[in-house]
mmCIF file of all heavy atoms in Angstrom:
data_model
loop_
_atom_site.group_PDB
_atom_site.id
_atom_site.type_symbol
_atom_site.label_atom_id
_atom_site.label_comp_id
_atom_site.label_asym_id
_atom_site.label_seq_id
_atom_site.Cartn_x
_atom_site.Cartn_y
_atom_site.Cartn_z
ATOM 1 N N ARG A 63 138.597 28.088 32.818
ATOM 2 C CA ARG A 63 139.620 29.124 33.007
ATOM 3 C C ARG A 63 139.023 30.433 33.470
ATOM 4 O O ARG A 63 139.533 31.061 34.397
ATOM 5 C CB ARG A 63 140.425 29.327 31.732
ATOM 6 C CG ARG A 63 141.532 30.329 31.820
ATOM 7 C CD ARG A 63 142.339 30.468 30.498
ATOM 8 N NE ARG A 63 141.481 30.915 29.417
ATOM 9 C CZ ARG A 63 141.268 30.153 28.344
ATOM 10 N NH1 ARG A 63 141.842 28.948 28.164
ATOM 11 N NH2 ARG A 63 140.478 30.560 27.420
ATOM 12 N N GLU A 64 137.959 30.880 32.855
ATOM 13 C CA GLU A 64 137.400 32.205 33.116
ATOM 14 C C GLU A 64 136.290 32.121 34.256
ATOM 15 O O GLU A 64 135.878 33.148 34.728
ATOM 16 C CB GLU A 64 136.769 32.766 31.841
ATOM 17 C CG GLU A 64 137.842 33.049 30.824
ATOM 18 C CD GLU A 64 137.197 33.584 29.548
ATOM 19 O OE1 GLU A 64 136.165 34.269 29.567
ATOM 20 O OE2 GLU A 64 137.750 33.288 28.471
ATOM 21 N N ARG A 65 135.899 30.909 34.565
ATOM 22 C CA ARG A 65 134.845 30.682 35.608
ATOM 23 C C ARG A 65 133.583 31.359 35.222
ATOM 24 O O ARG A 65 132.828 31.917 36.073
ATOM 25 C CB ARG A 65 135.301 31.040 36.969
ATOM 26 C CG ARG A 65 136.554 30.306 37.406
ATOM 27 C CD ARG A 65 136.917 30.428 38.845
ATOM 28 N NE ARG A 65 135.881 30.241 39.783
ATOM 29 C CZ ARG A 65 135.365 29.083 40.182
ATOM 30 N NH1 ARG A 65 135.750 28.006 39.678
ATOM 31 N NH2 ARG A 65 134.358 29.043 41.082
ATOM 32 N N LYS A 66 133.231 31.385 33.914
ATOM 33 C CA LYS A 66 131.966 31.972 33.451
ATOM 34 C C LYS A 66 131.827 31.554 31.959
ATOM 35 O O LYS A 66 132.767 31.085 31.306
ATOM 36 C CB LYS A 66 131.953 33.473 33.570
ATOM 37 C CG LYS A 66 132.926 34.173 32.709
ATOM 38 C CD LYS A 66 132.794 35.706 32.779
ATOM 39 C CE LYS A 66 133.659 36.376 31.746
ATOM 40 N NZ LYS A 66 133.313 37.713 31.594
ATOM 41 N N ILE A 67 130.589 31.693 31.465
ATOM 42 C CA ILE A 67 130.353 31.500 30.036
ATOM 43 C C ILE A 67 131.090 32.600 29.304
ATOM 44 O O ILE A 67 130.939 33.785 29.662
ATOM 45 C CB ILE A 67 128.848 31.537 29.684
ATOM 46 C CG1 ILE A 67 128.126 30.483 30.502
ATOM 47 C CG2 ILE A 67 128.621 31.345 28.247
ATOM 48 C CD1 ILE A 67 128.488 29.051 30.214
ATOM 49 N N PRO A 68 132.010 32.302 28.417
ATOM 50 C CA PRO A 68 132.890 33.286 27.788
ATOM 51 C C PRO A 68 132.242 34.209 26.743
ATOM 52 O O PRO A 68 132.893 34.755 25.902
ATOM 53 C CB PRO A 68 134.008 32.469 27.184
ATOM 54 C CG PRO A 68 133.376 31.196 26.826
ATOM 55 C CD PRO A 68 132.312 30.945 27.905
ATOM 56 N N PHE A 69 130.928 34.334 26.744
ATOM 57 C CA PHE A 69 130.236 35.269 25.862
ATOM 58 C C PHE A 69 128.886 35.582 26.432
ATOM 59 O O PHE A 69 128.364 34.894 27.342
ATOM 60 C CB PHE A 69 130.058 34.621 24.451
ATOM 61 C CG PHE A 69 129.418 33.299 24.438
ATOM 62 C CD1 PHE A 69 128.069 33.043 24.568
ATOM 63 C CD2 PHE A 69 130.250 32.135 24.383
ATOM 64 C CE1 PHE A 69 127.486 31.769 24.580
ATOM 65 C CE2 PHE A 69 129.695 30.869 24.409
ATOM 66 C CZ PHE A 69 128.340 30.693 24.500
ATOM 67 N N GLU A 70 128.311 36.687 26.027
ATOM 68 C CA GLU A 70 127.048 37.146 26.531
ATOM 69 C C GLU A 70 125.941 36.376 25.759
ATOM 70 O O GLU A 70 126.014 36.207 24.550
ATOM 71 C CB GLU A 70 126.873 38.622 26.305
ATOM 72 C CG GLU A 70 125.593 39.199 26.847
ATOM 73 C CD GLU A 70 125.499 40.699 26.615
ATOM 74 O OE1 GLU A 70 126.522 41.345 26.324
ATOM 75 O OE2 GLU A 70 124.395 41.222 26.763
ATOM 76 N N PHE A 87 130.763 42.064 16.529
ATOM 77 C CA PHE A 87 132.214 41.917 16.571
ATOM 78 C C PHE A 87 132.859 42.855 17.530
ATOM 79 O O PHE A 87 133.696 42.470 18.331
ATOM 80 C CB PHE A 87 132.778 42.139 15.152
ATOM 81 C CG PHE A 87 134.273 42.204 15.136
ATOM 82 C CD1 PHE A 87 135.040 41.043 15.219
ATOM 83 C CD2 PHE A 87 134.969 43.403 15.054
ATOM 84 C CE1 PHE A 87 136.427 41.070 15.224
ATOM 85 C CE2 PHE A 87 136.350 43.490 15.054
ATOM 86 C CZ PHE A 87 137.047 42.301 15.127
ATOM 87 N N MET A 88 132.421 44.169 17.515
ATOM 88 C CA MET A 88 133.053 45.127 18.429
ATOM 89 C C MET A 88 132.721 44.759 19.883
ATOM 90 O O MET A 88 133.518 44.932 20.800
ATOM 91 C CB MET A 88 132.542 46.522 18.054
ATOM 92 C CG MET A 88 132.987 46.995 16.705
ATOM 93 S SD MET A 88 134.763 46.898 16.443
ATOM 94 C CE MET A 88 135.268 48.294 17.336
ATOM 95 N N ALA A 89 131.493 44.278 20.175
ATOM 96 C CA ALA A 89 131.163 43.872 21.515
ATOM 97 C C ALA A 89 131.965 42.684 21.973
ATOM 98 O O ALA A 89 132.485 42.616 23.123
ATOM 99 C CB ALA A 89 129.640 43.461 21.603
ATOM 100 N N LEU A 90 132.233 41.696 21.108
ATOM 101 C CA LEU A 90 133.031 40.550 21.429
ATOM 102 C C LEU A 90 134.508 41.001 21.673
ATOM 103 O O LEU A 90 135.195 40.553 22.588
ATOM 104 C CB LEU A 90 133.003 39.506 20.327
ATOM 105 C CG LEU A 90 131.701 38.697 20.302
ATOM 106 C CD1 LEU A 90 131.739 37.807 19.033
ATOM 107 C CD2 LEU A 90 131.509 37.879 21.513
ATOM 108 N N ARG A 91 135.010 41.921 20.879
ATOM 109 C CA ARG A 91 136.285 42.488 20.968
ATOM 110 C C ARG A 91 136.442 43.153 22.343
ATOM 111 O O ARG A 91 137.461 42.935 23.037
ATOM 112 C CB ARG A 91 136.560 43.454 19.897
ATOM 113 C CG ARG A 91 137.926 43.966 19.801
ATOM 114 C CD ARG A 91 138.047 44.957 18.669
ATOM 115 N NE ARG A 91 139.354 44.869 18.069
ATOM 116 C CZ ARG A 91 139.764 45.685 17.136
ATOM 117 N NH1 ARG A 91 138.944 46.607 16.641
ATOM 118 N NH2 ARG A 91 140.981 45.558 16.642
ATOM 119 N N ALA A 92 135.493 43.971 22.718
ATOM 120 C CA ALA A 92 135.503 44.686 24.056
ATOM 121 C C ALA A 92 135.473 43.596 25.207
ATOM 122 O O ALA A 92 136.171 43.807 26.184
ATOM 123 C CB ALA A 92 134.290 45.628 24.107
ATOM 124 N N GLN A 93 134.675 42.618 25.035
ATOM 125 C CA GLN A 93 134.599 41.567 26.056
ATOM 126 C C GLN A 93 135.953 40.814 26.220
ATOM 127 O O GLN A 93 136.360 40.540 27.299
ATOM 128 C CB GLN A 93 133.467 40.550 25.715
ATOM 129 C CG GLN A 93 133.145 39.627 26.853
ATOM 130 C CD GLN A 93 131.970 38.750 26.552
ATOM 131 O OE1 GLN A 93 131.387 38.792 25.443
ATOM 132 N NE2 GLN A 93 131.574 37.940 27.467
ATOM 133 N N ALA A 94 136.561 40.569 25.065
ATOM 134 C CA ALA A 94 137.865 39.878 25.162
ATOM 135 C C ALA A 94 138.865 40.762 25.844
ATOM 136 O O ALA A 94 139.697 40.233 26.602
ATOM 137 C CB ALA A 94 138.278 39.559 23.674
ATOM 138 N N MET A 95 138.828 42.068 25.552
ATOM 139 C CA MET A 95 139.748 42.962 26.220
ATOM 140 C C MET A 95 139.474 43.019 27.695
ATOM 141 O O MET A 95 140.429 42.971 28.508
ATOM 142 C CB MET A 95 139.640 44.366 25.574
ATOM 143 C CG MET A 95 140.188 44.418 24.180
ATOM 144 S SD MET A 95 139.910 46.037 23.394
ATOM 145 C CE MET A 95 141.368 46.837 23.951
ATOM 146 N N ALA A 96 138.220 43.052 28.077
ATOM 147 C CA ALA A 96 137.784 43.083 29.476
ATOM 148 C C ALA A 96 138.251 41.820 30.227
ATOM 149 O O ALA A 96 138.587 41.897 31.433
ATOM 150 C CB ALA A 96 136.331 43.312 29.642
ATOM 151 N N ASN A 97 138.214 40.710 29.498
ATOM 152 C CA ASN A 97 138.574 39.394 30.101
ATOM 153 C C ASN A 97 140.086 39.092 30.039
ATOM 154 O O ASN A 97 140.535 38.062 30.424
ATOM 155 C CB ASN A 97 137.812 38.286 29.483
ATOM 156 C CG ASN A 97 136.346 38.364 29.859
ATOM 157 O OD1 ASN A 97 135.960 38.819 30.866
ATOM 158 N ND2 ASN A 97 135.508 37.873 28.930
ATOM 159 N N GLY A 98 140.846 40.037 29.427
ATOM 160 C CA GLY A 98 142.276 39.839 29.320
ATOM 161 C C GLY A 98 142.708 38.748 28.301
ATOM 162 O O GLY A 98 143.776 38.224 28.464
ATOM 163 N N VAL A 99 141.862 38.507 27.367
ATOM 164 C CA VAL A 99 142.229 37.420 26.316
ATOM 165 C C VAL A 99 142.358 38.071 24.962
ATOM 166 O O VAL A 99 142.346 37.295 23.986
ATOM 167 C CB VAL A 99 141.232 36.279 26.364
ATOM 168 C CG1 VAL A 99 141.380 35.517 27.708
ATOM 169 C CG2 VAL A 99 139.804 36.678 26.147
ATOM 170 N N SER A 100 142.337 39.338 24.803
ATOM 171 C CA SER A 100 142.320 39.951 23.473
ATOM 172 C C SER A 100 143.685 39.880 22.854
ATOM 173 O O SER A 100 143.803 40.070 21.640
ATOM 174 C CB SER A 100 141.888 41.367 23.571
ATOM 175 O OG SER A 100 142.829 42.150 24.314
ATOM 176 N N ASP A 101 144.683 39.607 23.611
ATOM 177 C CA ASP A 101 146.072 39.554 23.017
ATOM 178 C C ASP A 101 146.573 38.171 22.765
ATOM 179 O O ASP A 101 147.793 37.961 22.591
ATOM 180 C CB ASP A 101 147.034 40.255 24.019
ATOM 181 C CG ASP A 101 147.092 39.672 25.397
ATOM 182 O OD1 ASP A 101 146.234 38.815 25.700
ATOM 183 O OD2 ASP A 101 147.986 39.988 26.158
ATOM 184 N N LEU A 102 145.658 37.214 22.652
ATOM 185 C CA LEU A 102 146.168 35.865 22.272
ATOM 186 C C LEU A 102 146.718 35.907 20.891
ATOM 187 O O LEU A 102 146.063 36.421 19.916
ATOM 188 C CB LEU A 102 145.021 34.856 22.311
ATOM 189 C CG LEU A 102 144.544 34.374 23.746
ATOM 190 C CD1 LEU A 102 143.322 33.476 23.619
ATOM 191 C CD2 LEU A 102 145.649 33.709 24.494
#
Side-chain angles (χ1 to χ4, degrees):
R63 180 179 58 244
E64 296 177 31
R65 300 192 48 78
K66 67 177 189 165
I67 302 296
F69 51 83
E70 184 177 345
F87 171 77
M88 296 306 284
L90 287 172
R91 185 182 215 187
Q93 188 174 7
M95 292 175 87
N97 291 330
V99 294
S100 64
D101 59 346
L102 286 176

